[in-house]
């Protein structure tokens, strides 16, 4: 059975090559290179199980063995590259117990070492691409930019056996097959969204999610920070938003919020892993928590009670009140100051309690405010109803016509079609957690869609990328979040990074199966969908 499976995998495997024109060309990976080994074997896995699937793989001869004396060397020895090297060292140290010193690379030959180097001549690799060369004598990652080096190290992690992800030392040897990977992403925006408003998740939980995102080369974490049920980020000029509005959650739980210091720490942690945090302050709807905190924000001056149900579309900021814009300006200013990335998300979805004409005026003012604080506005697709500045970004979730309307205005679109990309939809009708309003989405459904052909009128050049949102009405703990997010999020990561050619559900499911032991080693409570041929379960 195992042999039959390997054969099948080999037959279905296809890599892609960076051709002279940049068009991917198919390359076959020879037998023996494809299959992941069992969790107990110390044999290194092949190149065939890497997710997201790389642009080009050329297997070589022999294997590299990481020695206890190996160093990780960087050129140039900048703070940024040292940080990338330290992150790799930190990961490899846990499972190997080796010292793995981080040092500068000055000469050229460092037998047995892992060398990370940026090279001016490698513009072809872009902002995030890399070339990883593994030979018996050593490992080199080359990139044009530090992000590329980081992604090269994430690929390297996947080339060690799954036990490399363990949190305590396991016996060696720690080997990697020789070969070359040349890789770069299809889309610039490869995201996940976590709703910390319906249920709140603390900084350490979110950091763990960032770690997992980075391993699969996701680079945007959209945090849905405010909603009817809770306001989760401290705003110094409006302190009751969290002292009152942060005090509950769906189901009436205790809620919680990030202080600005905690939030800044999370943003810096993500940034070190090349993940840009995109903060969302949802408005004018989804604002009950804010209105409950400040009666003066309501049109009638009466604060509604805190809300812990799961209805949507019943709250609205008071569009006609000038104080509303002072509020928005204060909040956006404080959030922008905590945001090194270029984007501030203003929600704009499901504003059913807002007059449609007033909505358009409101959004245009909000866009002005976001721009005045030096940021680009991101909004859910409903924001395409208003006139958008060329730098604004629209996130498609349900209404194809609105996505097309955004493109008609020259805006770029983030693709999050609910029936494919929503991580809070149940896998099957039997799934305990999740909702079903957009249908059920098993692992296969979540993988078999393409961002450039999903919506008529929205083509490859209009698409900034892909994002998988997780709304947290039904997820009380981070283990619940992981159950819904994994393994579907891994498929979205591949859709965002890998070329369309050379991959299919038929071969992807085998690659995904090899990630079961890796996820388990990281303590991830993933959903073991029967659609995936998991081994050793
Ligand atoms: C719709 S999608 C919403 C959220 C809910 C979600 C549940 C979108 C922009 N708004 O308020 O949490 O459905 O799946």
């Amino acid at each position: 059975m195992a042999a039959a499976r390997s054969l099948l995998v080999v037959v279905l495997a296809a890599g892609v090559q960076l051709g002279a024109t940049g068009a991917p060309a198919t390359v076959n990976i020879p037998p023996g290179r494809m299959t992941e080994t069992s969790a107990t074997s110390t044999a290194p896995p092949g190149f065939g199980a890497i997710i997201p699937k790389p642009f080009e793989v050329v297997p070589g001869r022999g294997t590299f063995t990481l020695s206890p004396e190996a160093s990780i060397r960087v050129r140039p020895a900048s703070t940024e590259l040292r940080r990338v090297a330290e992150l790799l060292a930190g990961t490899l140290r846990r499972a190997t117990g080796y010292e793995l010193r981080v040092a500068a690379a000055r000469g050229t030959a460092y037998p047995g070492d892992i060398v990370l180097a940026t090279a001016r001549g490698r513009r072809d690799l872009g902002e995030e691409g890399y070339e990883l060369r593994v030979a018996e004598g050593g490992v080199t990652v080359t990139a044009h930019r530090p992000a590329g080096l980081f992604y090269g190290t994430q690929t390297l992690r996947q080339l060690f056996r799954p036990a490399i992800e363990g949190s305590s030392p396991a016996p060696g040897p720690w080997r990697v097959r020789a070969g070359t990977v040349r890789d770069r992403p299809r889309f610039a925006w490869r995201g996940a969204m976590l709703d910390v408003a319906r249920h709140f998740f603390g900084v350490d939980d979110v950091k763990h999610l960032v770690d997992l995102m980075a391993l699969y080369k996701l680079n945007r974490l959209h945090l849905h920070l405010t909603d009817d049920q809770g306001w989760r980020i401290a705003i110094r000029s409006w302190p009751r938003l969290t002292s009152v509005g942060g005090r509950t959650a769906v189901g009436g739980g205790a809620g919680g919020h990030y202080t600005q210091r905690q939030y800044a720490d999370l943003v810096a942690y993500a940034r070190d892993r090349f993940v840009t945090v995109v903060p969302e302050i949802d408005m004018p709807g989804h604002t009950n928590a804010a209105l409950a905190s400040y009666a003066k924000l309501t049109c009638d001056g009466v604060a509604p009670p805190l809300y812990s149900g799961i209805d949507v579309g019943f709250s609205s900021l008071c569009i006609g009140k000038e104080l509303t814009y002072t509020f928005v300006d204060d909040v956006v200013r404080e959030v922008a100051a905590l945001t090194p990335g270029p984007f501030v998300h203003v929600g704009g979805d499901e504003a059913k309690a807002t007059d449609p004409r007033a909505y358009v005026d409101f959004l245009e003012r909000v866009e002005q405010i976001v721009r005045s604080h030096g940021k680009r506005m991101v909004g859910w697709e409903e924001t395409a109803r208003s006139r958008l500045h060329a730098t604004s970004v629209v996130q498609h979730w349900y209404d194809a016509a609105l996505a097309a309307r955004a493109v008609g205005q020259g805006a770029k679109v983030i693709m999050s079609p609910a029936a494919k990309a929503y991580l809070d939809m149940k896998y099957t009708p039997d799934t305990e957690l999740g909702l079903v309003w957009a249908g059920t989405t098993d692992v296969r459904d979540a993988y078999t869609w393409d961002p450039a052909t999903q919506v008529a009128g929205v083509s490859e050049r209009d698409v900034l990328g892909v994002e998988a949102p997780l709304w947290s009405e039904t997820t009380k703990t981070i283990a619940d979040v992981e159950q819904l997010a994994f393994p579907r999020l891994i498929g979205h990561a591949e859709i965002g990074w890998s070329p369309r050619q050379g991959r299919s559900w038929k071969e992807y499911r085998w690659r995904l199966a090899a990630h079961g032991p890796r996820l388990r080693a990281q303590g991830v409570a993933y959903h073991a969908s029967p659609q995936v041929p998991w081994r050793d379960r």
Side-chain angles (χ1 to χ4, degrees), residues 198 286 349-350 380 397 422 424-425 435 437 471 473:
R198 270 55 176 270
H286 293 276
D349 57 313
E350 299 173 321
W380 295 105
W397 62 283
Y422 269 30
D424 62 314
M425 291 302 118
L435 306 174
W437 68 261
W471 301 98
E473 285 93 337

Side-chain angles (χ1 to χ4, degrees), residues 45 80 236 347:
E80 197 172 19
R236 290 180 179 150

Side-chain angles (χ1 to χ4, degrees), residues 221-243:
L221 174 62
H222 168 182
L223 288 176
H224 183 75
L225 290 166
T226 67
D227 213 303
D228 291 317
Q229 299 85 347
W231 186 287
R232 307 302 182 200
I233 175 126
I235 300 297
R236 290 180 179 150
S237 52
W238 295 76
R240 288 169 59 84
L241 290 171
T242 45
S243 68

Side-chain angles (χ1 to χ4, degrees), residues 144-390:
H144 180 53
R145 305 273 298 138
L149 289 184
F150 179 74
Y151 292 129
T153 65
Q154 300 312 306
T155 296
L156 181 61
R157 280 169 72 178
Q158 293 192 20
L159 292 171
F160 285 97
R161 66 183 213 265
I164 201 69
E165 301 301 341
S167 50
S168 53
W174 297 98
R175 294 184 294 164
V176 178
R177 286 182 205 265
T180 301
V181 178
R182 255 169 243 118
D183 204 5
R184 61 174 200 206
R186 177 177 173 193
F187 293 113
W189 186 295
R190 304 179 304 279
M193 188 207 83
L194 182 63
D195 170 7
V196 297
R198 270 55 176 270
H199 281 100
F200 181 66
F201 304 98
V203 169
D204 289 345
D205 285 344
V206 181
K207 283 182 176 175
H208 189 225
L209 180 63
V210 168
D211 289 340
L212 293 162
M213 288 173 64
L215 175 56
Y216 295 103
K217 304 186 176 79
L218 291 164
N219 66 356
R220 302 279 185 265
L221 174 62
H222 168 182
L223 288 176
H224 183 75
L225 290 166
T226 67
D227 213 303
D228 291 317
Q229 299 85 347
W231 186 287
R232 307 302 182 200
I233 175 126
I235 300 297
R236 290 180 179 150
S237 52
W238 295 76
R240 288 169 59 84
L241 290 171
T242 45
S243 68
V244 176
R247 280 202 155 144
T248 193
V250 164
H257 72 272
Y258 307 120
T259 64
Q260 291 204 354
R261 189 192 286 257
Q262 287 171 331
Y263 184 80
D265 171 56
L266 173 60
V267 168
Y269 183 92
R271 197 183 193 191
D272 285 349
R273 288 149 185 82
F274 298 89
V275 172
T276 301
V277 173
V278 180
E280 179 186 348
I281 305 295
D282 203 347
M283 58 183 101
H286 293 276
T287 44
N288 187 77
L291 302 172
S293 306
Y294 288 97
K296 62 185 176 187
L297 287 176
T298 65
C299 284
D300 62 6
V302 181
L306 290 171
Y307 180 70
S308 58
I310 66 165
D311 284 347
V312 297
F314 61 86
S315 58
S316 178
L317 291 175
C318 188
I319 304 288
K321 234 185 195 177
E322 212 36 45
L323 181 68
T324 297
Y325 302 92
T326 307
F327 168 76
V328 172
D329 188 65
D330 287 341
V331 171
V332 172
R333 177 175 16 85
E334 291 196 33
V335 169
L338 291 165
T339 303
F343 307 103
V344 170
H345 200 306
V346 300
D349 57 313
E350 299 173 321
K352 295 176 194 162
T354 311
D355 171 77
R357 269 207 310 249
Y359 174 91
V360 168
D361 297 341
F362 173 78
L363 249 297
E364 288 174 8
R365 275 188 83 171
V366 168
E367 186 185 62
Q368 272 302 323
I369 291 170
V370 171
R371 281 170 26 82
S372 78
H373 295 294
K375 300 297 178 189
R376 290 175 68 178
M377 184 176 89
V378 187
W380 295 105
E381 66 200 6
E382 289 93 326
T383 58
R385 293 188 198 284
S386 70
R387 230 174 336 129
L388 294 172
H389 188 264

